[in-house]
Amino acid sequence: MTSMSGDTSTPTTARRPTMRDVARLAGVGVKTVSRVVNGEPNVSADTAERVRRAAAELQYEPDLHAGNLRRADGRSHTIGLLVSSVANPFAAQVHRAIERVATEHGYAVFATSLEDDPVAEQRAIAALSRRRVDGYVVTPVHDDQSYLRVHLDRGTPLVCIDREPAGIDVDSVVTSNYDGARDAVRHLVAHGHRRIAFLGDLERIQTARLRRAGYLDELADAGITPDPALIVLDLHDDASATAVTRRLLTLPEPPTAIFSSQNLVTVGAIRALQQLGLEHDVALVGFDDVEAGDLVKPRVSVVAQDPDRIGRLAAERVFARIGGDGGPARQIVVPTRLVVRGSGEIARPEAQRGGS
Amino acid sequence: MTSMSGDTSTPTTARRPTMRDVARLAGVGVKTVSRVVNGEPNVSADTAERVRRAAAELQYEPDLHAGNLRRADGRSHTIGLLVSSVANPFAAQVHRAIERVATEHGYAVFATSLEDDPVAEQRAIAALSRRRVDGYVVTPVHDDQSYLRVHLDRGTPLVCIDREPAGIDVDSVVTSNYDGARDAVRHLVAHGHRRIAFLGDLERIQTARLRRAGYLDELADAGITPDPALIVLDLHDDASATAVTRRLLTLPEPPTAIFSSQNLVTVGAIRALQQLGLEHDVALVGFDDVEAGDLVKPRVSVVAQDPDRIGRLAAERVFARIGGDGGPARQIVVPTRLVVRGSGEIARPEAQRGGS
DNA sequence: GTGTCGCCTGACATCGATGTCACGAAACTG
DNA sequence: CAGTTTCGTGACATCGATGTCAGGCGACAC
């Protein structure tokens, strides 16, 4: 109603108002403005109202960082998230879940893509440390996280997701890679398969090794001797997965089922099966869900991870730590879910039942 | 080599060292430490070395925000990104592209999901403003962005992506929604189709209206009178798209081709076609690429957007503005690309050639 | 009427850094 | 060799806020 000056036109470059400007306009001291802005008690109703009006008039926005400098708890109300890539669908869903929890707590999230580069991991941590984040959620890439201990000692919590950290004892939230792989293989064995191929991700990735172990142990428990010819490791993209799958399927004794241990590898396997016209004859179960995996024919069965839950649990751990939880480090394992859609339920051909 | 104290065990809670601590240890003034840390000139080689050693010993990390308080340019080296959802594949790819440019400039990125909530847009801007971001990249949701003018006036640039802003004159980077839609329809017309259905997204979304307009204008140019029965708007998820598509396909005079104007809607249409066994008989072109769209049979043809380029261009605009570019607002349009995979090249059935 | 208490309020030091400036020593100039 | 410039350095004010503390004022009890 009562506008300060008649000038309502666009100012060229306005200085950002500070608490002092608001104080001056409201005719009070800065500390009183501070009290009103932060909802502290002991301010009379009409002083508060005058301050609020002045703040609104100047469109005042407090400077969170300036406040933190002096504030007792020194919280930046910001956390950092390190993932393989924010564009990776799995990581993106984890990110969304974390963001949801963060927003509830009034926190903002810095997300950084590491692209599996250990050096990027350290650089990202340093960049976030300079920005004084209150906590980290990290997908470990580096083979040793002990360099992070100094941050823990200074009271900045860290939670690892997807992979277990090495060299530090912190909370972690990971998928049940080993059990999930066993579930997949057990499912295929239950449909009569004995020649089950394994398409593995890069062996240097911990989760890939766990999935391979699950595959081998489940075969062993089923009394099946693994055929080394059917085990291919270190696949990381769909093109090489396609090539390898084609080769396996044209062996003299081809597999009757395939367990592919990762997203893109599953896509590559599907493509190979389609190219050879074998998609209805050879069973396939993938680890990790495939986008639009229910549009393909046959629809693709998978052992699905739960990125939403992983993200939520990880965020809850971080905020518990920020909130002062000093308990021992927790290892949380999120189970996988077998999604039955068709490709994994293709039975071993009758022709072969007699053989072997 | 020369460790300060013999104690290498884990300290319980160490205070974070400040510049003063480093100065004291190195036996110099704080300003000298500041000079070394920031690479300013006029420090003798061995003073600099002594300071660096002290900083390393204490594992000193400068506080970026404290520095900004006094620093002339006051840059937080942080930008804010508002998207529909960080879990949305399109937005996630845009995000990754922006992050790449940001990293080159030494910037970190705050990403926030709006879930198409106009109130969330304003809340997010306020949260980022309090954190003093140097620039914004925004997917507008609110129907009026004039409330952002104050930030522009204070020198914080803003670039809109995906949708044009309303009420402010700023840089924007958008897909050629109108032309892309025309391309899709032209492609279907070229394959003989005249009864082409349109499955539109929510009409309140600007891009959805543009795609509809492209559809209608291209039909008009081809001399085809649109059949209102084949135009369905306000679809936003795959379930409703499936239901609607099934209804259209069972009309007395069903469409021979479908143009679906969005990702999830395309998925819904595919599912309906598969359920009715018509996927090889009715042509389909979608707007926006579908993940694993080349695994479906027939492989799905789309008019693809270029999220990587959109993100990169948007980020470059923001950094140009942060760098002082005061030129007039630029509207950048990123063209779509028709991806021919099979579903869009199904010809109009011969049986119908005689008719109409 | 006076003393005590509690509520409001603002002056001032402070957070961790950078900008300004003055000072002494060394290097150059003529 | 005196005068000037340059270099290296640190004391100090300052950025925008909050924590501390003391003072003023009105209400209440005796």
Side-chain angles (χ1 to χ4, degrees):
Chain A
M1 290 295 161
T2 53
S3 82
M4 277 286 284
S5 67
D7 187 347
T8 33
S9 72
T10 324
T12 324
T13 320
R15 193 175 55 77
R16 206 189 273 276
T18 72
M19 214 166 242
R20 281 186 50 177
D21 299 317
V22 177
R24 203 139 38 201
L25 181 59
V28 299
V30 283
K31 181 64 215 195
T32 299
V33 176
S34 172
R35 272 188 273 258
V36 173
V37 168
N38 294 288
E40 286 172 38
N42 299 339
V43 179
S44 76
D46 65 280
T47 303
E49 184 52 29
R50 239 184 19 261
V51 170
R52 263 190 291 274
R53 233 200 288 274
E57 167 131 8
L58 297 177
Q59 306 218 47
Y60 168 73
E61 294 266 18
D63 184 322
L64 190 65
H65 300 125
N68 280 343
L69 209 49
R70 196 67 174 73
R71 208 187 307 273
D73 63 7
R75 294 273 137 86
S76 63
H77 287 262
T78 299
I79 59 172
L81 169 65
L82 313 196
V83 292
S84 55
S85 167
V86 295
N88 171 307
F90 177 80
Q93 280 189 262
V94 171
H95 181 184
R96 182 69 190 98
I98 290 173
E99 188 202 357
R100 223 185 303 269
V101 178
T103 303
E104 283 170 20
H105 288 258
Y107 269 65
V109 181
F110 277 123
T112 308
S113 303
L114 304 179
E115 302 292 356
D116 280 312
D117 177 0
V119 179
E121 177 184 314
Q122 292 180 296
R123 259 203 306 264
I125 292 283
L128 295 178
S129 173
R130 280 194 289 272
R131 290 178 173 80
R132 298 295 187 259
V133 298
D134 297 337
Y136 301 93
V137 177
V138 178
T139 308
V141 174
H142 208 275
D143 55 13
D144 178 15
Q145 272 71 45
S146 57
Y147 73 98
L148 291 169
R149 187 164 296 135
V150 60
H151 295 104
L152 299 172
D153 291 342
R154 288 174 186 165
T156 311
L158 183 147
V159 174
C160 286
I161 52 172
D162 198 38
R163 304 168 196 172
E164 299 279 1
I168 49 173
D169 185 36
V170 297
D171 294 328
S172 67
V173 182
V174 301
T175 290
S176 61
N177 289 289
Y178 176 82
D179 288 339
R182 291 194 68 143
D183 289 347
V185 173
R186 189 178 315 119
H187 189 67
L188 290 169
V189 169
H191 284 81
H193 298 280
R194 300 186 66 80
R195 292 188 59 73
I196 303 171
F198 177 74
L199 305 179
D201 201 341
L202 299 177
E203 276 288 299
R204 68 174 171 81
I205 299 177
Q206 185 198 50
T207 56
R209 294 196 299 273
L210 286 169
R211 292 171 198 177
R212 172 176 51 75
Y215 161 81
L216 290 175
D217 289 356
E218 186 62 32
L219 280 190
D221 279 14
I224 301 173
T225 308
D227 180 348
L230 300 186
I231 299 177
V232 183
L233 307 177
D234 291 317
L235 298 170
H236 201 57
D237 59 275
D238 57 339
S240 58
T242 301
V244 162
T245 307
R246 289 185 62 127
R247 183 172 62 69
L248 291 180
L249 292 171
T250 50
L251 285 175
E253 281 192 281
T256 64
I258 297 172
F259 171 43
S260 62
S261 80
Q262 184 246 63
N263 225 309
L264 290 175
V265 174
T266 303
V267 171
I270 294 171
R271 192 170 291 127
L273 286 166
Q274 287 185 350
Q275 288 171 359
L276 299 175
L278 291 172
E279 68 267 35
H280 293 284
D281 304 315
V282 176
L284 172 70
V285 174
F287 199 109
D288 199 6
D289 207 353
V290 176
E291 202 76 25
D294 63 338
L295 295 179
V296 183
K297 284 185 176 173
R299 295 163 70 225
V300 49
S301 297
V302 298
V303 174
Q305 303 189 74
D306 194 341
D308 186 76
R309 190 153 163 218
I310 291 174
R312 188 166 44 76
L313 290 171
E316 285 170 358
R317 287 315 304 152
V318 166
F319 285 110
R321 296 296 182 186
I322 290 175
D325 176 350
R330 277 191 224 171
Q331 319 304 323
I332 301 176
V333 176
V334 176
T336 54
R337 192 169 45 91
L338 179 68
V339 182
V340 173
R341 293 206 190 102
S343 75
E345 294 68 47
I346 296 171
R348 176 196 191 189
E350 282 304 321
Q352 298 199 4
R353 296 257 174 192
S356 185
Chain B
M1 291 296 162
T2 54
S3 82
M4 277 288 282
S5 67
D7 188 345
T8 34
S9 72
T10 323
T12 325
T13 320
R15 195 175 52 80
R16 206 190 273 277
T18 73
M19 213 167 244
R20 280 185 52 177
D21 298 318
V22 177
R24 204 138 37 201
L25 180 58
V28 300
V30 283
K31 181 65 215 194
T32 298
V33 176
S34 171
R35 272 188 274 257
V36 173
V37 168
N38 294 289
E40 286 173 39
N42 299 338
V43 180
S44 76
D46 65 280
T47 302
E49 184 53 28
R50 235 178 29 255
V51 169
R52 261 189 294 272
R53 231 197 292 271
E57 167 129 10
L58 298 177
Q59 304 218 48
Y60 169 72
E61 295 266 17
D63 184 323
L64 191 66
H65 299 125
N68 280 342
L69 208 50
R70 195 66 175 64
R71 209 187 306 272
D73 62 8
R75 294 272 135 85
S76 63
H77 289 261
T78 299
I79 59 172
L81 169 65
L82 313 196
V83 293
S84 55
S85 168
V86 295
N88 171 306
F90 177 80
Q93 281 190 261
V94 171
H95 182 185
R96 182 68 190 97
I98 289 173
E99 187 202 358
R100 222 184 305 267
V101 178
T103 302
E104 283 170 20
H105 289 256
Y107 269 65
V109 181
F110 277 122
T112 308
S113 303
L114 304 180
E115 302 292 356
D116 280 311
D117 177 0
V119 178
E121 176 183 315
Q122 293 181 293
R123 259 202 307 262
I125 292 281
L128 295 178
S129 173
R130 280 194 288 273
R131 289 178 174 80
R132 297 297 187 260
V133 299
D134 296 338
Y136 301 93
V137 177
V138 178
T139 309
V141 174
H142 208 272
D143 55 13
D144 179 13
Q145 273 70 45
S146 57
Y147 74 97
L148 291 169
R149 186 165 297 135
V150 60
H151 295 106
L152 300 172
D153 292 341
R154 289 174 185 165
T156 310
L158 182 146
V159 174
C160 286
I161 52 173
D162 198 40
R163 304 168 195 170
E164 299 278 0
I168 48 173
D169 186 35
V170 296
D171 295 327
S172 68
V173 182
V174 301
T175 290
S176 60
N177 289 289
Y178 176 82
D179 288 340
R182 291 195 68 143
D183 289 348
V185 174
R186 190 178 313 116
H187 188 69
L188 290 169
V189 169
H191 284 79
H193 298 280
R194 299 185 68 81
R195 292 188 59 73
I196 303 171
F198 176 75
L199 304 180
D201 200 341
L202 299 177
E203 275 288 298
R204 68 174 171 81
I205 299 178
Q206 185 198 51
T207 56
R209 295 195 298 272
L210 287 168
R211 293 171 196 176
R212 172 175 52 76
Y215 161 83
L216 291 174
D217 288 358
E218 187 62 31
L219 281 189
D221 279 14
I224 300 173
T225 308
D227 180 349
L230 301 185
I231 299 177
V232 183
L233 307 177
D234 292 316
L235 298 170
H236 201 57
D237 59 276
D238 57 339
S240 58
T242 300
V244 162
T245 308
R246 289 185 63 125
R247 184 171 61 69
L248 290 181
L249 292 171
T250 49
L251 286 175
E253 281 193 281
T256 65
I258 298 171
F259 170 43
S260 62
S261 79
Q262 185 246 63
N263 226 308
L264 291 175
V265 174
T266 303
V267 169
I270 293 172
R271 191 168 292 127
L273 286 166
Q274 288 184 351
Q275 288 171 357
L276 300 176
L278 290 171
E279 69 266 36
H280 293 283
D281 303 315
V282 176
L284 172 69
V285 174
F287 199 109
D288 200 5
D289 207 352
V290 176
E291 202 77 25
D294 64 337
L295 294 179
V296 183
K297 283 186 175 176
R299 295 164 71 226
V300 49
S301 296
V302 297
V303 174
Q305 303 189 75
D306 194 342
D308 187 77
R309 188 153 165 219
I310 291 174
R312 189 167 43 76
L313 290 170
E316 285 169 0
R317 287 316 303 151
V318 167
F319 285 110
R321 295 296 181 185
I322 290 175
D325 176 350
R330 278 192 222 170
Q331 320 304 325
I332 301 176
V333 176
V334 176
T336 55
R337 190 170 45 90
L338 180 68
V339 181
V340 172
R341 293 208 189 101
S343 76
E345 294 69 46
I346 296 171
R348 176 200 193 187
E350 282 303 321
Q352 299 199 7
R353 296 258 175 191
S356 183

